[in-house]
Amino acid sequence: MSEIKYTKDHEEIKIDGDIVWIGITKHAGEALGDLVFVELPDVGATFDKGADFAVIESVKAAAEVYTPVGGEIVEVNDALPDNPEQVKEDMSTGWIVKIRMNSAYDLTDLMDEAAYKAFCDANA
Amino acid sequence: MCADMAVDYQDNCDSKQFDPKTDHNRALQYDEKFLWDHKQTDHSGVDLAPVQGGINKTGIAQRTETGLPNLSEPQVLRHFVRLSTLNYSIDHGFFPLGSCTMKHNPRLNEKMARLPGFAHIHPLQPEQTVQGALALMHELQDWLGQLTGLPGVALSPAAGAHGEYAGIMVIRAKLRDAGMHHKDTLLIPDSAHGTNPATASMCGFKVKTISTKETGRLSVEAFKEALGDGENIAGMMVTNPNTCGLFEREIIEIADLLHKAGGYFYCDGANFNALVGRIKPADFGVDVMHINLHKTFSTPHGGGGPGSGPICCTEELAPYLPVPLVGKSDDGSYKLLRKADYPKTLGRLRGFNGQFGMHVRALSYMLSHGNDGLRQVSGDAVLAANYILSQLKGDYHVPFEGRCMHEALFSEKWLKDHGVTTLDVAKALIEFGMHPMTVYFPLVVSGAMLVEPTETETKENLDRFIGVMKHIAELAKDGQGDALHNYPLSAPRRRLDEVLAARNPVLNG
């Protein structure tokens, strides 16, 4: 069973057992504008909770993507560097990395869809 | 059009025959091709006389085709003159690029920089033959020291980001000298210029962000939270006034907390035009800062010449400044201080002694204005920005309430519902004959528009800009956003494919 959660930094995550898919939210994709580059981490790299692991560059700005969980990168979406706009699609094709959570994790900071929508409206 | 003129067009603009349907040259707006798009390799710009008698040693037999266009002198000259007419500069018109201080460059500066005694000297000349130039640099050091309240001055950094690098390296040298290697983190607000965290990283420091999102300003609480116990904090990098055009009101208390934790305060001097002649940054706790001579003291980019980013620091940090510095000997002569004279220096950061031509221009600007004139510069710059803010706050959303300093910040918030963005406003300004403001910066404001008029403009010019901005806002609110999406229509280039340009830049030529 998997579920979609959202972070305050506008990442969208799908938790599938100990594997977490990380992408960006639709709201973030719209805010960034036309995308130019996506820079991916290496498979096997490990990141602490809260670390930036990827960079998305648009014509307006470069944005870092943070991981809400610590762990090891098990897969990266190789299609993104050639087609950055794909990161705006749904998680099934727009995911950036899959990360294997290490034992110490904390998912309490995450929001569900309704809470994230309220968060975006409050910060608009 | 007569046949001769058509040939002339073809000669300089394209290798195709003139076709009124596809030719993009209009009036005196030229669709200027790159030189390497000229396919004429069978022409020659120069004629070499055939060798009469003897052996031909010009190497012609060994030459192969270069593939370069072979053009005559008038073809090359016209190409570059036409390109220059496509440029827009502060000498053309209003240039409100926020955080860039695009002020008028007085022609007196240029006259001074062209004096033969300044223009024709060489940095390798013996010091006794360039005493006037060294005296000028020494006086500039004095002026910068006086204006900032920071007596240690190094003129050599080449531009703003280089000055940041030099300043942070000074802090690093001091910390290492004191054995405080554990201080490895710099605090930087989220509204900072992008160069600040880049500088910190280049100098080997970690970056910790201080949030300013609520009010656009640093607060003591947010600073305390970022500082923690301060054990590993090497310092902070703060621009004051900040990139939202706001003065940091709690900066003295924040600087005190930082100093108590053993950290140093680096001030990004990009916005010094708001303070010059009125506030000495040393008085609000700055330990080291860079000054963009090419902003505050004229000759902005687009106004001619390179940048120059001297740094100024406290007496405590002065021993670590990069060499060379200009010193005065007991006999009244001037000399360049090098590592032998300045043993704790962090070293040399570039060849020779800095952008000397910019030193001449900056000192000319200072001497022609005087201290009272510089005070009026900052006063007028702040007044002009506040005039724009007051006139446009009913038309554009202002993210942070109250008065601004030398630049006024707006956002696209009220336009978005009409399908109009900051980019559309910028492009429409081009259509109406003005350079756009800084857009999408600072990052803490969504769809930011940062307007810095400087003290250069007349009230009539400010009114004209305000009129154009009001017109654009009205077009958006009248549901004429589609027209705005297409601007500019009259410029040499229309909307560019920015994604394609960024992903596949053409870098040959």
Side-chain angles (χ1 to χ4, degrees), chain B residues 164-169 172 176 186 197-205:
Chain B
E164 286 181 37
Y165 178 81
I168 296 301
M169 288 299 278
R172 193 175 86 151
R176 293 199 166 184
L186 288 169
T199 296
S201 186
M202 275 290 286
C203 295
F205 288 100

Side-chain angles (χ1 to χ4, degrees), chain B residues 56-136:
Chain B
N56 184 345
K57 291 183 178 175
T58 58
I60 282 175
Q62 277 71 43
R63 284 185 196 167
T64 53
E65 285 289 323
T66 60
L68 293 172
N70 294 328
L71 303 171
S72 67
E73 183 171 310
Q75 283 179 305
V76 174
L77 187 69
R78 285 176 183 172
H79 172 72
F80 285 108
V81 169
R82 286 175 176 177
L83 276 187
S84 74
T85 64
L86 299 181
N87 196 12
Y88 184 94
S89 74
I90 185 67
D91 294 343
H92 280 80
F94 190 46
F95 208 132
L97 202 54
S99 220
C100 288
T101 314
M102 301 296 289
K103 66 168 67 178
H104 170 62
N105 175 39
R107 289 310 181 260
L108 177 67
N109 297 350
E110 297 306 310
K111 187 177 176 185
M112 294 301 114
R114 283 165 178 72
L115 288 174
F118 291 141
H120 296 166
I121 54 175
H122 193 280
L124 292 179
Q125 270 180 244
E127 284 173 15
Q128 65 269 27
T129 67
V130 289
Q131 283 293 305
L134 293 177
L136 180 144

Side-chain angles (χ1 to χ4, degrees), chain B residues 365-418:
Chain B
Y365 186 83
M366 291 168 178
L367 291 174
S368 56
H369 282 74
N371 201 19
D372 54 340
L374 292 177
R375 191 178 155 80
Q376 190 179 344
V377 161
S378 53
D380 289 356
V382 171
L383 182 64
N386 276 287
Y387 180 59
I388 287 175
L389 183 69
S390 69
Q391 296 299 302
L392 289 180
K393 67 183 177 188
D395 303 274
Y396 292 86
H397 173 248
V398 176
F400 305 113
E401 296 239 323
R403 286 187 196 152
C404 62
M405 291 294 283
H406 65 307
E407 49 196 355
L409 180 62
F410 303 94
S411 93
E412 65 185 4
K413 195 170 184 179
W414 292 351
L415 305 174
K416 281 219 101 167
D417 293 343
H418 304 283

Side-chain angles (χ1 to χ4, degrees), chain B residues 475-498:
Chain B
L475 286 178
K477 286 164 192 171
D478 281 356
Q480 298 184 51
D482 284 348
L484 293 173
H485 297 321
N486 293 326
Y487 284 151
L489 297 172
S490 313
R493 286 287 181 274
R494 296 185 181 178
R495 291 251 178 153
L496 304 178
D497 185 338
E498 294 180 47

Side-chain angles (χ1 to χ4, degrees), chain B residues 17 74 90 116 127 132 139 202 262 342 347 352 500 508:
Chain B
Q17 285 291 329
I90 185 67
E127 284 173 15
E139 184 158 358
M202 275 290 286
Y342 225 71
F352 300 133
L500 184 70
N508 62 330

Side-chain angles (χ1 to χ4, degrees), chain A residues 29-47:
Chain A
E30 283 169 11
L32 280 168
D34 296 333
L35 300 185
V36 179
F37 295 110
V38 174
E39 196 180 305
L40 298 170
D42 293 328
V43 171
T46 59
F47 293 93

